Amino acid sequence: MGHRGERASCLPLLLLLLAFCRGRVVRVPKGPLIRVMGTEVVIPCNVSDYDGPSEQNFDWEFSRETDFVRIVSTWDSTFTSEEYQKRVGHGDIKLRRSSNDAVELVIRNIQPTDQGRYKCSTPSTDATVQGNYDAEVQVKVISDGLSVSGSKARSSVSLRLSEGDSFKLRCSAITTSPEHTHLHVTWQIKGGLTWRDILSLTHEGKFHPGPGYEERYRNGDIRLDTGANDTYRLSVSQASSVDGGVYRCLVSEWVRGADSSWQKIQEKSVEIASVAIQRTALDVVISTSNVSVTERDSLDLICNITTDRSGFFQAEVLWYFSASPDDTLSDAQVLLSVDRDSVVSDSTLISLSHVDRNSYRLLVREVDVEDSGYYFCQAAVWVPLHNGSWHKVVERTSAPVSVVVTALEPDYEVFLNASKTPKFSDDPTELNCRITNAQDTEANIRFTVSWYYRQRLRSDDVVMEELLATMDADWTLLLGDRSRERTQNGEIIFSKKTADIFSLRIQWTSESDRGDYFCVISAWSRHRNNSWVKSKDVTSPSVSIFWATQDDMSFDVSWFAVRSFALDREPVLLASLDRRGIVMQSRRNGSSDLSLERISPLEFRLRVHGCEDHDFGNHYCVVTPWVRSATGVWQREPDIKAKPIFLSVKMDVLNAFKYPLLIGIGLATVIGLLSCLIGYCSSRWCCKKEVQETRRERRRLMSMEMD
């Protein structure tokens, strides 16, 4: 316990001592730094744990033995000694700042006279002087012993190769350095403006493929081998277009420093060869474009391949089938193939034959409808490699060829008739779907039926048909939702009466069964694999099953008249009665009158009272039926026009002159009486006046005689 207390009391003192001992630290690499004569030397220097401004200044000095000579400074332009002013002024020696607290001394074309001690100093900006303010590093300059060369015959060669060929390039690299150095050899290619690494043998003796060459290195297509006389051989197999370009051998010399880290002291390169890769041309064409074949005939296609490849090679051909021209080959079906060893994968109905060196024939026997689609031919060129394996140089696929197989469709017609039609609810309904005029119906053809129902609508609404039942190729009956329950209960019966007659019977027809019915007869063909494939559908005309009830039907009735014998005038509306019982009459000029009445649900009567001669002409009625659908909506039917009836008006003489005679007699009597009255009055008054006047005249005459 006592020792523990003493240790605890010493801990604060130790921390305080460390805080006071903390100060500026100037660092340079641990030497000696071995560099090659004529190369560029970069010596870094940095400072840490300082006070003052963040950007620090640096002074560099050099000593061959004892005294230091000033080289360059970041803050004092007069710092450089006379010995180094020329080299500093030309930029052969300079300072390059990498950060506020770090710089690099750069010496170009270092010489043996530059071998010695280099000191990096930092002027103090601290409040108290603590730590170290300079650091030294030893630089050793050795002679250049690295030699890099290419082929002995010439400095650079030109190679022109075909795609898929192999080639080798050699590079010689040797060093006579007095130090224990290692070489790092890298093969590079320049296809554009920049060099890319292919494969390296590092100074640590490891192989390192460049970006994009990893898989080819693992497959052995890219190799780097060492040989006698310090040669480094690059081997490239299965050359492709990306392998074309300028190749060079890049060699760097490395030495292990005092801190056990590897340092690159120099680097040299030499261009070895210029390689041009000629791509192999391959054209794959099917001799025909579009083909139409009749079912059970043979399909014959020829694939022609042409290439500019010379020398020994082998071709591989595959035939593909696809239902769509846009499908990739991975989605297509491989029919047959012939490999580079001329081994053909054959089958019973499909064969592939080698017509000549450049032609391959595909023969499909007894084609059927399933063989309709698109056919591709794919060809590849293979060349042998030095190790006995084969390399695929180029691969091409032909354009698709459309093949249409025309089925041997039977020729037949379909008719639908109703052998029993309902007049009322619960009456039976029986429909017969009959196949007629059947031709080319051999043993490999069979017929099935599908029954459909469509509700009748009097509007423009589109009504989809409902499937009642259908048959498979094996005559299995599949029921629709509408008829499933009633069929299982025995209310609806589907049957095949004869080989060409299919029947639908509804035992008790309901109002919901009213509508249009039609059948579809399907012809099935048996293919070579004994499967049945539908080849044709024929739809019958529809048959309407409908009856009306008083509650479900109403009528608008209108009466018209045409005042001519030949119906060559516009009809005149006389009267109308709508389905709600409202009667409307047109305005009439004569004294005759009309009445319109409904005698029974389906009978309407027009009466003309007091016919006159202008009532003659052709009379007819127009009936507009209104039917209520199963949904309760009233729908208008097309108008029905009755046959015109001609109405002639004959004159009744007795009745025609009875009233005029009575009126005439009455008028004559009145006129006679009036005449008598006038005569009496005239004789009464007018005659007396004349006698008096005569008497006056007589008296006048008597007076004259007297005179």
Side-chain angles (χ1 to χ4, degrees), residues 49-68:
D49 301 331
Y50 58 87
D51 297 332
S54 60
E55 184 176 278
Q56 293 291 295
N57 290 310
F58 296 85
D59 298 331
W60 282 89
E61 298 175 276
F62 170 71
S63 172
R64 292 187 181 89
E65 294 180 356
T66 56
D67 297 334
F68 280 92

Side-chain angles (χ1 to χ4, degrees), residues 146-151 168-175 181-188 199-203 205-207 223-235 248-253 270 272:
L146 178 63
S147 175
V148 181
S149 62
S151 174
K168 297 179 181 179
L169 302 175
R170 289 177 176 83
C171 168
S172 177
I174 188 172
T175 180
T181 59
H182 293 246
L183 298 183
H184 183 121
V185 179
T186 301
W187 281 95
Q188 293 182 319
L199 185 59
S200 301
L201 176 58
T202 68
H203 52 276
K206 298 178 181 179
F207 290 99
R223 300 195 316 276
L224 198 162
D225 302 316
T226 59
N229 301 324
D230 300 307
T231 59
Y232 298 87
R233 183 176 63 247
L234 175 68
S235 300
R248 78 174 181 180
C249 180
L250 179 67
V251 181
S252 57
E253 191 173 6
V270 60
I272 303 300

Side-chain angles (χ1 to χ4, degrees), residues 584-597:
M584 296 181 61
Q585 291 189 21
S586 61
R587 184 182 299 275
R588 299 180 59 81
N589 296 327
S591 60
S592 60
D593 197 4
L594 300 174
S595 64
L596 186 59
E597 58 181 332

Side-chain angles (χ1 to χ4, degrees), residues 312-316 339-342 357 380-384 390:
F312 181 71
F313 68 91
Q314 291 290 350
E316 180 184 56
D339 60 14
R340 58 180 178 269
D341 297 325
S342 299
R357 178 175 174 82
V381 173
W382 293 77
V383 295
W390 289 81

